[in-house]
Amino acid sequence: MECKQTPTVSRKLFIQQLNRAQYLPDLKCFALPYLHFQKVWIQGYIVAIQDHLVFVDDGTGVAVVRTKTIDKRHIMKRSVGDYVMFLGKVKESTSMRQILAQKCARFNDQPNRIPLWWLEVIESHRRFLDAAAAPTSCAGDLDDAMEGEVDFSDDEQAMLEMMAGNT
């Protein structure tokens, strides 16, 4: 499967999507049935901190974020319970998938941040799906997915239908 998408663009994802994505070593990127990526943008609550590893939970799953690179540049103190955003490159390893953080922000003082984030992720996927008919996209993969030739979890199928306006 080859895709003409640029996988280096960061994608807004729920952590469950990140954890379920398949690694494509030939393309050096990760793939969902309708989307390829190398960098992600996630948001959630810090549930644990261990040296330069931050564990973030967005309600759909937990991601491991390596902060060693940004810890050298940023003085921002992070604590368990903080609501944060991380942007970074996803790294596949034998032990665990990690996000190598390039940017971080804390949103503790913004109470509407959680529902806004969910809407941002849904909207970013809706825009991608709306553009899927363009010749430079993965329209074939999307068509296969929508016709049931690609296996989705129940949650992913519901999200696809919601984004396509079928609910």
Side-chain angles (χ1 to χ4, degrees), residues 117-150:
W117 172 246
W118 281 67
L119 291 171
E120 285 179 42
V121 173
I122 291 168
E123 179 61 21
S124 72
H125 287 261
R126 178 180 288 246
R127 280 195 317 259
F128 178 79
L129 290 171
D130 288 347
T136 59
S137 71
C138 287
D141 295 339
L142 180 63
D143 290 341
D144 292 345
M146 296 307 270
E147 291 174 8
E149 295 179 24
V150 176

Side-chain angles (χ1 to χ4, degrees), residues 1-9 11 24 27 29-31 33-37 128 131-142:
M1 169 173 70
E2 183 168 326
C3 184
K4 296 182 189 215
Q5 289 176 274
T6 306
T8 57
V9 174
R11 305 289 185 191
L24 305 175
L27 297 175
C29 70
F30 294 83
Y34 55 91
L35 181 72
H36 288 81
F37 60 91
F128 178 79
T136 59
S137 71
C138 287
D141 295 339
L142 180 63

Side-chain angles (χ1 to χ4, degrees), residues 14 17 39-40 123 135 158-160:
F14 295 121
Q17 294 172 303
K39 295 180 181 181
V40 296
E123 179 61 21
M159 182 183 296
L160 271 175

Side-chain angles (χ1 to χ4, degrees), residues 2-115:
E2 183 168 326
C3 184
K4 296 182 189 215
Q5 289 176 274
T6 306
T8 57
V9 174
S10 64
R11 305 289 185 191
K12 294 178 180 180
L13 295 178
F14 295 121
I15 293 171
Q16 178 185 49
Q17 294 172 303
L18 171 64
N19 291 339
R20 288 187 175 180
Q22 177 184 3
Y23 181 63
L24 305 175
D26 294 344
L27 297 175
K28 296 182 180 168
C29 70
F30 294 83
L32 292 170
Y34 55 91
L35 181 72
H36 288 81
F37 60 91
Q38 289 177 330
K39 295 180 181 181
V40 296
W41 178 353
I42 64 162
Q43 290 187 23
Y45 286 100
I46 294 176
V47 293
I49 299 173
Q50 201 174 62
D51 296 323
H52 294 289
L53 296 179
V54 176
F55 297 82
V56 179
D57 185 338
D58 72 350
T60 68
V62 177
V64 179
V65 181
R66 179 169 291 282
T67 60
K68 189 171 187 174
T69 305
I70 62 170
D71 287 345
K72 293 176 183 176
R73 297 181 304 206
H74 298 283
I75 313 279
M76 185 183 96
K77 182 144 175 79
R78 292 178 294 273
S79 304
V80 171
D82 285 348
Y83 188 79
V84 293
M85 174 278 296
F86 283 105
L87 173 74
K89 187 170 183 177
V90 183
K91 181 182 178 208
E92 184 75 5
S93 70
T94 55
S95 60
M96 71 177 89
R97 185 171 290 175
Q98 295 180 3
I99 299 169
L100 305 178
Q102 296 170 328
K103 292 186 180 184
C104 176
R106 187 174 49 225
F107 297 119
N108 289 347
D109 58 344
Q110 298 178 18
N112 294 327
R113 198 64 212 145
I114 298 169

